[in-house]
Amino acid sequence: MSTNFAEAPGGNAAKGAKIFKTKCSQCHVAEKGGGHKQGPNLGGLFGRHTGSADGYSYSKANKDKNIVWSEETLYEYLLNPKKYIPGTKMVFAGLKKEQDRADIIAYLKEATA
């Protein structure tokens, strides 16, 4: 199981939208300007530092990780969020399938821009 985005299959944004709806939308809004839910709004995600969306109360672990969200970092994070950021508040177990991670990243690249 690869954590390297360069080795990931091509992503399908339409399939990613379905995955987001079933796995992510209960806690996150993708569109810029949307409110926070249990998790932060993901608008403007790419290029943003962890723990930096205005108005959301992040865990210390998330703030201290201090990485910039990119296709590469998100691909590894989505495999196992608690392993990537130990101490995160995110309760999601992760997406084990490489194709699912590639699809959701393709969707998020469009939806969060």
Side-chain angles (χ1 to χ4, degrees), residues 5 7-17 19 71 75 97-110:
F5 185 74
E7 298 170 4
N12 179 310
K15 288 181 180 176
I19 295 167
E71 292 164 324
Y75 189 74
K97 293 180 183 169
E98 294 174 3
Q99 187 66 60
D100 287 353
R101 285 183 280 141
D103 290 346
I104 202 149
I105 289 169
Y107 167 72
L108 288 172
K109 289 286 286 188
E110 294 177 5

Side-chain angles (χ1 to χ4, degrees), residues 8-9 18-19 30 36 41 46 52 60 62-64 67 77 90 96 98 103-104 110 113:
K18 290 178 184 172
I19 295 167
H36 298 303
N41 173 288
F46 292 90
S52 67
K60 181 175 179 347
N62 202 296
K63 291 180 199 170
D64 291 349
I67 55 110
Y77 175 74
M90 188 155 132
K96 304 307 176 215
E98 294 174 3
D103 290 346
I104 202 149
E110 294 177 5

Side-chain angles (χ1 to χ4, degrees), residues 17-62:
K18 290 178 184 172
I19 295 167
F20 186 87
K21 186 175 181 183
T22 60
K23 305 264 187 195
C24 312
S25 66
Q26 34 305 29
C27 297
H28 293 284
V29 173
E31 295 75 26
K32 237 182 203 175
H36 298 303
K37 290 180 159 184
Q38 183 175 342
N41 173 288
L42 300 177
L45 175 68
F46 292 90
R48 185 168 76 200
H49 279 86
T50 52
S52 67
D54 286 339
Y56 185 77
S57 177
Y58 287 94
S59 66
K60 181 175 179 347
N62 202 296

